[in-house]
Amino acid sequence: MKLTGAELRTIIDELQSAWQAHGDADSLYQPAARRDQRFTGEDAARVAIVHGWARHLHETARAAVLLLDNGMTNAALPLVRQMFECALSAVWAIQSKDQHGVRAIIREYSRSRRAFAIDARKAASPTFRESADDIADIELAEELETSDSSRQFRDICLDLSPGGVDAYIYYRVMSSYSHASLAVTDLYYKAAAPGSGAMPYRLAEPRAAMPADTLLYFVAITLVWGARAYTYTSRDHTHRSVIRRAAHTLEVNSEIQLSDHYRRRHAKPRTTR
């Protein structure tokens, strides 16, 4: 069943209202995979990461909908892409086995900070060079071992079901309009006739990279998935009920699970340092 833009807006408003009411629980808990085990710093990090991403995508949704309501579809698309990435990353982090996911996220963050410091030392600006040694969290993950990696979003998509290659293709399509690419340029031109040698015709108004209703649909489903990931730590059944109703109307799974691809990788644990 195809939902209208108005119906999608209603679902988004309901999910946002539910987040305002339930998205700041006083007590947060370990996910089921770690329940009843000693609460460690890594458990706290996993909970904080998932809550942070869920909170950010709800905040970003407000901006994306504002742009869509004002006909600025192409400007909204990169925000929707980020929401999609945050939602699936939150699901992956909360569902991942033991502490593999959170360690992979911390390791990738630390690797990125190290690369940042290396570039800062080579900068022309003395301000950057002088601050390179003060960049924090460079050694944050030196001793962490994990079988997972969060460096490529494709790998996260393959670890999820539903998700997989299809989820990554959606992400790639949105990414093509989120950078300085020829796909962006093409939105502002109409192709010249083949063989004419003429310059392409400049459009008075750019084409929409994706229909506004399609982006509203992605806003809605990412709110579902991001909020559901958070509820693994809040155990708020009222919030879960709102999410499940929205997912049913949107005809998507409210809960994304780890895929067979993920389980095969973890069948024979292989750690990396």
Side-chain angles (χ1 to χ4, degrees):
M1 177 183 67
K2 181 175 174 57
L3 298 172
T4 66
E7 290 170 328
L8 290 167
R9 286 289 275 103
T10 297
I11 294 171
I12 291 168
D13 289 345
E14 290 172 351
L15 289 167
Q16 289 283 42
S17 295
W19 180 259
Q20 289 296 317
H22 304 280
D24 192 20
D26 292 331
S27 298
L28 296 174
Y29 304 87
Q30 295 168 315
R34 291 278 301 163
R35 193 164 297 163
D36 299 325
Q37 298 187 50
R38 185 172 63 87
F39 197 87
T40 67
E42 289 176 338
D43 290 313
R46 190 202 306 229
V47 170
I49 289 167
V50 170
H51 182 232
W53 282 337
R55 183 176 177 182
H56 183 68
L57 69 88
H58 281 81
E59 186 73 17
T60 305
R62 295 168 57 196
V65 170
L66 181 64
L67 290 170
L68 291 169
D69 285 349
N70 285 275
M72 304 176 73
T73 307
N74 294 332
L77 195 152
L79 297 181
V80 178
R81 167 192 173 274
Q82 187 188 43
M83 290 179 62
F84 187 71
E85 184 178 7
C86 283
L88 293 188
S89 296
V91 171
W92 182 79
I94 205 66
Q95 292 278 25
S96 58
K97 181 179 179 182
D98 299 323
Q99 304 289 25
H100 286 285
V102 67
R103 288 181 178 182
I105 292 165
I106 294 171
R107 283 173 62 91
E108 176 55 24
Y109 174 72
S110 185
R111 184 203 66 80
S112 177
R113 301 293 285 177
R114 286 196 297 272
F116 182 21
I118 291 171
D119 287 339
R121 292 187 183 100
K122 299 175 182 178
S125 168
T127 301
F128 291 150
R129 293 197 306 272
E130 292 165 6
S131 62
D133 291 337
D134 297 327
I135 294 174
D137 301 331
I138 290 176
E139 308 300 331
L140 192 63
E142 285 298 305
E143 301 303 320
L144 296 182
E145 297 183 353
T146 176
S147 298
D148 289 343
S149 171
S150 65
R151 188 169 185 178
Q152 301 293 332
F153 187 62
R154 181 179 185 274
D155 293 335
I156 290 176
C157 292
L158 292 177
D159 279 347
L160 299 174
S161 180
V165 174
D166 290 42
Y168 185 62
I169 289 173
Y170 286 128
Y171 174 79
R172 286 290 299 270
V173 170
M174 288 189 281
S175 293
S176 67
Y177 296 103
S178 302
H179 304 286
S181 67
L182 291 181
V184 171
T185 296
D186 286 345
L187 296 174
Y188 294 84
Y189 291 90
K190 179 179 179 181
S196 68
M199 285 285 291
Y201 176 75
R202 285 179 289 179
L203 299 172
E205 295 292 334
R207 293 190 303 276
M210 297 176 70
D213 286 0
T214 298
L215 292 180
L216 281 172
Y217 177 77
F218 272 97
V219 169
I221 63 175
T222 55
L223 290 177
V224 164
W225 294 332
R228 184 65 183 97
Y230 165 74
T231 62
Y232 278 93
T233 68
S234 71
R235 303 184 191 176
D236 188 325
H237 296 288
T238 302
H239 195 184
R240 290 184 187 186
S241 296
V242 175
I243 295 167
R244 289 193 182 107
R245 286 197 303 271
H248 178 74
T249 304
L250 293 164
E251 298 182 345
V252 297
N253 296 64
S254 65
E255 296 182 75
I256 299 178
Q257 304 293 335
L258 296 174
S259 66
D260 290 338
H261 171 82
Y262 182 92
R263 293 188 177 89
R264 284 194 298 270
R265 286 200 304 102
H266 282 265
K268 296 180 180 180
R270 181 179 61 188
T271 60
T272 60
R273 290 184 65 85

